[in-house]
Amino acid sequence: MAQASGKGRRAGILGAAVGVVAAGAALGFTVERLTIGRAVRRMAEIHDPGEPFGTLRGDPQSVTASDGVELYVEVDEPRGWAAGPARTSGPGALNGTPVAPPAVSADRPTLLFTHGFCLPQDCWHYQRAEFSATHRMVFWDQRGHGRSERPPKDRKGRAKPVTIDQLGEDLHAVLQATCPQGPVILVGHSMGGMTMMALAQRHPELFGERIVGTALISTSAGRFQDIAFGLPRPSAKLLHRTTPAVLELLAKQTGLVERGRAIGGDFGLVIIRRYAFGSEVPESLVRYTEDLIQSTPIDVIADFYPVFGKLDMSEALPVFDRVPSLVLGGANDLILPVAHSEALADAMPSADYVVLPNAGHALILEHPDAVGNALRNLVDRAEDQLGSPSSRRAAQ
């Protein structure tokens, strides 16, 4: 038999490495793996409203981070009642009866949204539509995600290590550039909530002054090593031990890996369905979520992953208790289980704590009406406090 080529050996090593992780994960969804066709057909049979995902856009801007990385930002100015149709569903709508949104006011807080790991700003599709008629909004792509630049590499081609402190400073730069004055409510999902915690730890003076409300959605302050991802404990421990090395290897084979991701097929849909959602959702939503995740290059995933193993933001949590806050989690979240949200709520006694049943990690896409209700309640609390002249002056 002829000796294997170098390329063939590398592909074999890569396949073996992927197999180490896949073997552990497969234990958690063996039944689904055997019934992929049926699972995909079930998603396709669910009512699909034909949502125009990815079509909502704002005014594009570029914000320069402290280390020179250009961050892509979009700013949405409120359309008001004249420019937007009445809502016949979602928060405030009764039995399909159109409900006019509240009047737009110039002194209402800006809503600044920060997305999570492997997701660009387009994951906020439903929330963007929910508040489009009433509030100014800011959306941005974290470094390496979406349209934002990657960190610069050194002379040896190595990327500068990503740190949670740098992500907090990125959010600070976006806040300063897009909201130079006026009150702001921060909303973060998953890693976006961790980025908010880093901001709170490094710039606590902003909370209660510029920042008048916060929402921490499906996120955690640490103890990432305890997460089992719905797997048996031995498999989860193996996954935690091997993932960093596997990702490092995959990052060196970006072309091969990205081609493999592109042809993942129905198996990829079943994995996304299991780990992103906690209830039955339309196939179009699963495919949209898959597209968002696949937009993040494998080497960026490898660069960011070590951040979570070292994360401990518990000392930042009391800062959030200075302002009206919301902790929102999904009862069926396998990525950051609801126990992590409960720990946040315990450290923030004045926060509203909401757990959505039948909700997974991507609950902002899965249950937009319930998320919209929770965010509306937060915004109302913050705006009620701003009704005081002294509070209003402090936010300017």
Side-chain angles (χ1 to χ4, degrees):
M1 181 180 294
Q3 186 175 4
S5 67
K7 182 177 181 180
R9 288 196 300 272
R10 289 194 297 272
I13 294 172
L14 178 62
V18 173
V20 170
V21 176
L27 294 176
F29 48 84
T30 300
V31 174
E32 285 182 276
R33 181 179 61 181
L34 296 175
T35 57
I36 288 174
R38 186 173 64 188
V40 173
R41 286 196 300 273
R42 188 170 66 246
M43 286 186 282
E45 290 169 358
I46 299 172
H47 174 65
D48 185 349
E51 188 70 29
F53 292 121
T55 62
L56 304 181
R57 299 261 64 92
D59 177 31
Q61 300 183 21
S62 181
V63 173
T64 304
S66 58
D67 62 350
V69 171
E70 293 297 322
L71 304 171
Y72 179 79
V73 179
E74 291 187 6
V75 178
D76 293 14
E77 298 295 341
R79 297 196 310 260
W81 171 247
R87 288 182 290 110
T88 57
S89 64
L94 301 176
N95 300 321
T97 302
V99 176
V104 176
S105 174
D107 54 4
R108 280 190 150 180
T110 294
L111 310 183
L112 199 168
F113 292 83
T114 303
H115 66 79
F117 184 43
C118 296
L119 295 172
Q121 61 175 267
D122 288 349
C123 67
W124 297 109
H125 173 85
Y126 287 110
Q127 293 71 44
R128 196 168 200 159
E130 171 71 23
F131 291 94
S132 63
T134 58
H135 287 77
R136 181 176 185 266
M137 295 180 288
V138 175
F139 302 88
W140 66 295
D141 292 329
Q142 298 217 53
R143 57 178 54 216
H145 292 69
R147 298 174 177 84
S148 287
E149 286 185 351
R150 303 188 192 188
K153 295 184 178 181
D154 61 21
R155 293 181 179 178
K156 295 184 178 180
R158 297 172 300 192
K160 178 183 177 182
V162 178
T163 67
I164 192 66
D165 287 345
Q166 181 61 64
L167 299 184
E169 288 302 318
D170 289 352
L171 176 55
H172 184 253
V174 172
L175 173 67
Q176 296 293 88
T178 62
C179 309
Q181 59 184 6
V184 179
I185 294 176
L186 301 180
V187 183
H189 172 254
S190 192
M191 186 180 74
M194 302 169 195
T195 300
M196 288 167 51
M197 295 176 206
L199 176 70
Q201 187 163 280
R202 295 177 67 85
H203 299 280
E205 72 282 354
L206 295 173
F207 290 73
E209 295 292 333
R210 297 292 318 291
I211 298 168
V212 300
T214 64
L216 297 169
I217 304 174
S218 301
T219 189
S220 172
R223 300 193 64 82
F224 187 73
Q225 67 276 9
D226 294 341
I227 299 171
F229 302 108
L231 304 174
R233 181 57 59 181
S235 297
K237 289 183 177 180
L238 175 63
L239 194 64
H240 280 292
R241 286 200 307 269
T242 58
T243 296
V246 170
L247 285 175
E248 184 178 355
L249 176 60
L250 296 180
K252 296 176 181 178
Q253 300 281 348
T254 55
L256 181 60
V257 172
E258 297 303 341
R259 286 194 296 274
R261 293 172 79 188
I263 60 175
D266 289 344
F267 186 44
L269 288 182
V270 172
I271 295 175
I272 297 293
R273 157 70 183 83
R274 174 174 173 81
Y275 283 97
F277 305 107
S279 63
E280 300 289 356
V281 297
E283 181 184 351
S284 62
L285 182 57
V286 181
R287 291 190 182 278
Y288 179 63
T289 305
E290 182 182 42
D291 289 343
L292 295 180
I293 293 172
Q294 290 192 354
S295 71
T296 308
I298 188 64
D299 51 334
V300 171
I301 295 174
D303 289 342
F304 271 75
Y305 189 82
V307 170
F308 307 115
K310 304 173 184 177
L311 188 73
D312 182 3
M313 303 304 296
S314 54
E315 293 184 2
L317 298 182
V319 177
F320 289 85
D321 224 25
R322 299 178 185 177
V323 299
S325 291
L326 165 69
V327 175
L328 180 60
N332 297 340
D333 191 339
L334 296 179
I335 303 298
L336 290 175
V338 71
H340 289 253
S341 294
E342 184 176 355
L344 297 180
D346 287 344
M348 301 159 54
S350 67
D352 281 346
Y353 179 39
V354 179
V355 177
L356 300 185
N358 302 317
H361 191 63
L363 54 77
I364 58 176
L365 289 165
E366 182 180 13
H367 295 293
D369 287 353
V371 173
N373 271 324
L375 290 177
R376 282 284 177 193
N377 289 336
L378 169 67
V379 171
D380 288 346
R381 290 174 60 204
E383 291 182 345
D384 285 346
Q385 288 200 7
L386 285 174
S388 156
S390 59
S391 296
R392 194 181 302 277
R393 284 194 299 271
Q396 293 178 346

